[in-house]
Amino acid sequence: MGPRNIFIASVAVIAIALGTWLSFKVASPPPVPQVATVLPVAGELPEFSLLDHNGDPVGRDVFKGHWDLVFFGFTHCPDICPLTLQVLNSAKNQLAADGFTPLPRIVLVSVDPERDTPESLAQYVAYFGDDNLGITGDLAELLKLTNGLGIFFEKTASDDENYSVDHSAVVLVINPDGQFQALFSAPHEIENFVHDLPIIMSRQ
Amino acid sequence: MKRIIPVLLLALLGCACSQDPAPFVASDVVVSKPKPGMNMTAGYLTLSNNASQPIVITHVASPQFESVELHESVIEDGMARMYPLGDLTILAKSSVVFQPGGKHLMLMRPVGEFDTVSLDFYAGEAVVLTVNVALSD
């Protein structure tokens, strides 16, 4: 094969490779979340002043520097709250097993500040994995955060201390700029978080 | 021969009776240890009524907890809510499943230290089923 033929063959190989790559690129649109709702424009969080599970004061800056999965619940919740936190922890473990980084942090914001002290939250959130964050504190300050995010909660009528709290079941995704980026509606499934979180987190 | 036939019939009946399921049984029973710092937990199970009549469970009690309530979690319009079940009717030849995110036993205020929980299911004043289960993590 002469130099001319080698040149033609090389051009042909490159053209085929380029064509294949382009066709693959055009035929494979970027993956999209299958369950999560991603906000077209990430929203700023309202100002608030609460306590973390160590009893230290925290404001909206506590969400900066991490991807956070934020759930609003309470420790005396026997079913939905532990179930949701277990789902989030399992999803995080699955992402870790897949080699995904950075791993999101799990945050429980108490909608029952009357009973949820920093001490009780510290024990509770630690049960559902490492590096989790619990937030509680003054009701009026809590309402600043929840009202700003469209989160609702309501203490149910009860004549004793064994009241329950109805609450939004959504899981919010807060980006490392401390902005409300996306949300997962209930019911929550491990595979939905494992599928959607890498997509959401890669878009920012 | 006339004496043998009744004996065989009785033997066959005996075999049939021994294979009948118990009229009211629990399976897949799970009671988790209370989470750290908590004085309550949840219990899950399947209750099966194999009898030909419905059964109505009015309440549940346990020596290991001061209070046991039948509850149901539901997601309504994005809100997680919990309702007391009240009397629970299990139809003839039917089962009711208690599972995470749905019906559950809410066990409150544990009494002392224990590894096994005993649950007494009442129909009115009568205990119709007692279940013993080891606490799970």
Side-chain angles (χ1 to χ4, degrees):
Chain A
M1 184 183 289
R4 180 184 167 81
N5 288 342
I6 290 173
F7 174 74
I8 291 171
S10 300
V11 169
V13 167
I14 291 169
I16 290 168
L18 191 64
T20 305
W21 179 78
L22 276 173
S23 65
F24 180 77
K25 183 94 174 166
V26 170
S28 304
V32 293
Q34 59 189 13
V35 167
T37 301
V38 181
L39 275 63
V41 178
E44 296 295 332
L45 266 58
E47 296 275 9
F48 64 89
S49 179
L50 291 165
L51 299 173
D52 70 10
H53 61 260
N54 295 314
D56 294 326
V58 290
R60 63 181 182 181
D61 285 352
V62 74
F63 294 111
K64 289 187 175 174
H66 313 82
W67 280 95
D68 284 318
L69 302 175
V70 185
F71 180 65
F72 295 79
F74 62 112
T75 64
H76 285 70
C77 163
D79 187 51
I80 292 287
C81 302
L83 175 63
T84 302
L85 292 170
Q86 280 166 359
V87 165
L88 296 180
N89 187 42
S90 297
K92 187 175 165 180
N93 289 339
Q94 182 62 55
L95 288 169
D98 294 345
F100 181 80
T101 57
L103 292 172
R105 182 175 59 174
I106 298 168
V107 182
L108 172 65
V109 178
S110 172
V111 292
D112 184 18
E114 193 176 325
R115 290 183 296 193
D116 285 341
T117 62
E119 293 78 14
S120 63
L121 266 186
Q123 286 185 297
Y124 193 75
V125 297
Y127 181 82
F128 298 98
D130 298 330
D131 305 320
N132 295 341
L133 174 66
I135 294 178
T136 187
D138 181 70
L139 179 61
E141 291 295 319
L142 173 63
L143 285 167
K144 290 181 184 175
L145 175 61
T146 55
N147 287 345
L149 291 169
I151 299 294
F152 300 96
F153 63 96
E154 183 179 34
K155 191 172 163 181
T156 58
S158 176
D159 56 3
D160 57 24
E161 65 180 15
N162 296 312
Y163 61 87
S164 184
V165 183
D166 293 342
H167 56 93
S168 296
V170 70
V171 170
L172 306 186
V173 181
I174 308 293
N175 70 28
D177 292 330
Q179 299 167 320
F180 176 18
Q181 182 80 62
L183 64 89
F184 288 82
S185 298
H188 301 298
E189 303 289 345
I190 297 168
E191 55 268 27
N192 294 335
F193 289 97
V194 172
H195 179 273
D196 287 0
L197 281 173
I199 298 169
I200 296 167
M201 292 167 68
S202 67
R203 282 185 174 184
Q204 208 217 0
Chain B
M1 187 64 183
K2 284 181 180 175
R3 288 181 181 174
I4 293 173
I5 291 173
V7 171
L8 283 173
L9 280 173
L10 281 172
L12 286 169
L13 281 170
C15 290
C17 290
S18 66
Q19 289 172 357
D20 278 349
F24 185 51
V25 294
S27 56
D28 302 323
V29 187
V30 176
V31 176
S32 302
K33 289 179 184 171
K35 304 289 182 290
M38 295 297 100
N39 67 348
M40 42 71 67
T41 188
Y44 305 102
L45 74 168
T46 298
L47 292 171
S48 298
N49 178 12
N50 300 311
S52 54
Q53 298 294 322
I55 191 166
V56 180
I57 300 301
T58 53
H59 59 288
V60 182
S62 169
Q64 286 78 36
F65 290 88
E66 286 184 16
S67 175
V68 182
E69 295 180 5
L70 297 163
H71 285 179
E72 181 162 23
S73 299
V74 294
I75 304 291
E76 292 176 336
D77 301 324
M79 294 283 285
R81 302 184 194 277
M82 193 168 70
Y83 296 109
L85 274 178
D87 290 351
L88 176 70
T89 300
I90 307 173
L91 299 175
K93 310 291 183 188
S94 297
S95 296
V96 171
V97 178
F98 287 62
Q99 60 189 355
K103 293 182 179 65
H104 58 273
L105 300 175
M106 185 164 170
L107 304 114
M108 292 173 282
R109 299 185 297 282
V111 180
E113 299 286 323
F114 50 86
D115 295 320
T116 301
V117 174
S118 181
L119 299 166
D120 293 324
F121 291 80
Y122 284 80
E125 297 298 313
V127 176
V128 291
L129 178 66
T130 296
V131 177
N132 295 298
V133 59
L135 281 175
S136 61
D137 290 325

